[in-house]
Amino acid sequence: MAEEILMTALSPTMEEGTILKWNKQEQQPIASGDLLCEVETDKASMDYESSQEGTLLKIIIKEGAMARVGQPIGVIGEKGEDIKALLKEIEKAAASAPSTSPPSTPPTTTAPSSATATAPAPVAAEAPSASGRVKASPLARRLAQERGIEINQVSGSGPRGRIVAKDVPRAVSTPTAGAAPFRSSLVEQTIPVSGVRAVIAKRLIESKFNAPHYYLSLTIDMEAAMRARAVLNKGRDPRVSLNAFLIKFAAEAIRRHPEINSSWQGDHILQFGSVDIGLAVDAGKGLNTPVVRDCLSLGVLDIEQQLVALINKARSGTLKPEDYQGNTFCISNLGSFGIDEFTAIINPPAAAILAIGRTQKMPVIDEGGAIVVRPRMKVTLSADHRAVDGALAAAFLQEMKQLMEDPARLLY
């Protein structure tokens, strides 16, 4: 008997998703566990594996269209089964349901007029709505931003002219004839909030206003750490990143001060049994924090290997929830942007986050009273005062400084 294929929650925070690609076509058989389609959630592009068996009788939500969790995206049943009545029920339910996302193409039982009919050419993107918003998927907007393309200059091939991801490369390869390559002035525009940015905003607002943040800063002499990194990277390509070293130093400082590796739980403080450090990464459409697990059992090279894999997944939008949830400590490094120092917002469930500034050469007075030039880096620890007292945070930060200024301390 034919039944609906429902959009399922592919991440804990998912409320709706965009169909990026159907991996099965109508009238194709489906087995349990088959990859049915690819869905863009509020966090990443994820695979939708079928839990049903039968024949895909109808695709309701087309590629590039959005569906709420629990909304029918297709129909599965026995080959040749009559599904007209079921499609009418689905269409009736869709018409009566409140719309919270761009409408998808409604189901229809009308067969194509010709088996050889050509696919419709992309239509021009819809004119902005009253709010000034051009209809486009979050992924399409990110791709356009990365390529420096105005989204309203892209022709959409999705339902009702909606711009989807595959339209953006086409706009790059076939620019509009006579269009000026550069704009001479800024253009006022309304930028929609993507699902991932909305989730990040909600989580950080809760952290900032619920957790009483306080901040401790100090300056670290980076000469020894830079020398150790240079020795490890000698003849190595690609080079091991500074972030891998920072994670290792932080993990070892936590080993000596495990109370920093905690979370406020209301009626108790949870001190974690493993050190799982998240690194804030700009993924193009919002910040993500992929997590390196069990850092105390890993060397710098192991940490680097995991980091490379996680950062690539973050930037390609393929992070799974287990890749970015459950950090016990966090690091945010803006040194590569030339930032001297900053304060970061704690990323729950952790009770602390370390903000890293750039390394720069500065004149300092050595122990003999002479002025010398040394590479120095400013770091700032943000801590949740409910779980981490000031003296504990200061001891942790001092330990971090001593480890980085004398990496041999890692051996004892």
Side-chain angles (χ1 to χ4, degrees), residues 255-324:
R255 185 199 298 274
R256 294 157 173 78
H257 301 280
E259 299 90 346
I260 203 82
N261 199 48
S262 299
S263 177
W264 177 259
Q265 299 293 311
D267 60 350
H268 67 279
I269 296 173
L270 174 62
Q271 185 171 313
F272 297 105
S274 65
V275 178
D276 304 325
I277 298 181
L279 178 69
V281 174
D282 181 6
K285 60 175 181 179
L287 208 61
N288 258 316
T289 311
V291 181
V292 179
R293 305 289 176 183
D294 197 17
C295 295
L296 288 178
S297 68
L298 303 177
V300 173
L301 296 181
D302 298 319
I303 292 172
E304 175 69 9
Q305 185 178 19
Q306 287 200 31
L307 268 183
V308 169
L310 287 167
I311 290 173
N312 286 339
K313 290 172 71 174
R315 289 175 177 167
S316 64
T318 57
L319 280 176
K320 305 295 184 185
E322 59 267 23
D323 293 327
Y324 58 79

Side-chain angles (χ1 to χ4, degrees), residues 120-128 134-136 151-164 167 170 176:
V123 297
E126 279 195 23
V134 174
K135 292 183 178 180
I151 193 67
N152 58 5
Q153 299 300 313
V154 180
S155 294
S157 63
R160 303 190 184 186
R162 190 166 187 259
I163 301 167
V164 294
D167 297 325
R170 184 184 299 134
T176 303

